[in-house]
């Protein structure tokens, strides 16, 4: 069942993320309320995400030395997602819905083919409980298996 009111704490968190399409429908979306995904700001945000995702997934590894690939990927990942911690690596292909709603913690490894339905803010790797379905290493390092699919939106804790 959809929420009936906006969640100010979620909206406030979102304002500090990279690439957030701040508008009325976005605030409804991340609060878990019914929203119109076809408003110009949300259409533009998905379009932006598709372009940045394409850049991330199609980095030509034949032209980038192996010892620079992690830095190049991190640069592109930071443009794509809301926030990402140091030491994180996401194997392509990576297919977020709204990349700006993803917060990825430090020292995460996400194997190839993850799909994130990110219409609400997600925090993989930032909270041990968030990662309960995945293999979590000591010190909250997180490893996501290949082709994991996260489509059940959940709220931030």
């Amino acid at each position: 069942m959809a929420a009936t009111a906006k969640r100010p704490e979620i909206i406030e968190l979102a304002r500090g993320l990279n690439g957030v399409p701040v508008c009325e429908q976005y605030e409804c979306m991340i609060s878990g309320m019914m929203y119109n995904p076809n408003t110009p700001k949300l259409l533009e945000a998905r379009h932006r995400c598709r372009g940045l995702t394409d850049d991330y997934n199609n980095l030509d590894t034949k032209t980038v030395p192996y010892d620079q690939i992690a830095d190049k990927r991190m640069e592109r990942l930071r443009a794509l997602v809301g926030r990402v911690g140091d030491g994180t690596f996401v194997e392509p292909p990576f297919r977020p819905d709204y990349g700006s709603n993803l917060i990825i913690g430090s020292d995460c490894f996400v194997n190839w083919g993850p799909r994130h339905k990110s219409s609400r803010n997600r925090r993989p790797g930032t909270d041990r409980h968030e990662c309960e379905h995945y293999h979590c290493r000591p010190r909250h390092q997180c490893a996501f298996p290949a082709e994991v699919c996260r489509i059940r939106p959940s709220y931030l804790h």
Side-chain angles (χ1 to χ4, degrees), residues 116-135:
H116 293 278
K117 178 72 174 168
S118 56
S119 59
R120 296 190 197 160
N121 294 60
R122 301 286 309 145
R123 292 172 45 167
T126 59
D127 181 344
R128 190 166 195 74
H129 300 295
E130 186 70 27
C131 301
E132 64 189 17
H133 299 293
Y134 305 106
H135 175 266

Side-chain angles (χ1 to χ4, degrees), residues 7-51:
R7 297 195 50 199
E9 71 280 9
I10 300 290
I11 294 167
E12 185 61 34
L13 173 69
R15 290 174 200 254
L17 300 177
N18 177 43
V20 169
V22 179
C23 67
E24 179 73 20
Q25 293 303 306
Y26 175 77
E27 290 179 0
C28 290
M29 177 182 74
I30 64 172
S31 294
M33 299 172 66
M34 296 295 291
Y35 69 98
N36 180 355
N38 293 319
T39 61
K41 283 271 195 185
L42 294 181
L43 289 169
E44 180 183 1
R46 287 194 305 276
H47 181 75
R48 174 188 175 276
C49 183
R50 300 302 180 268

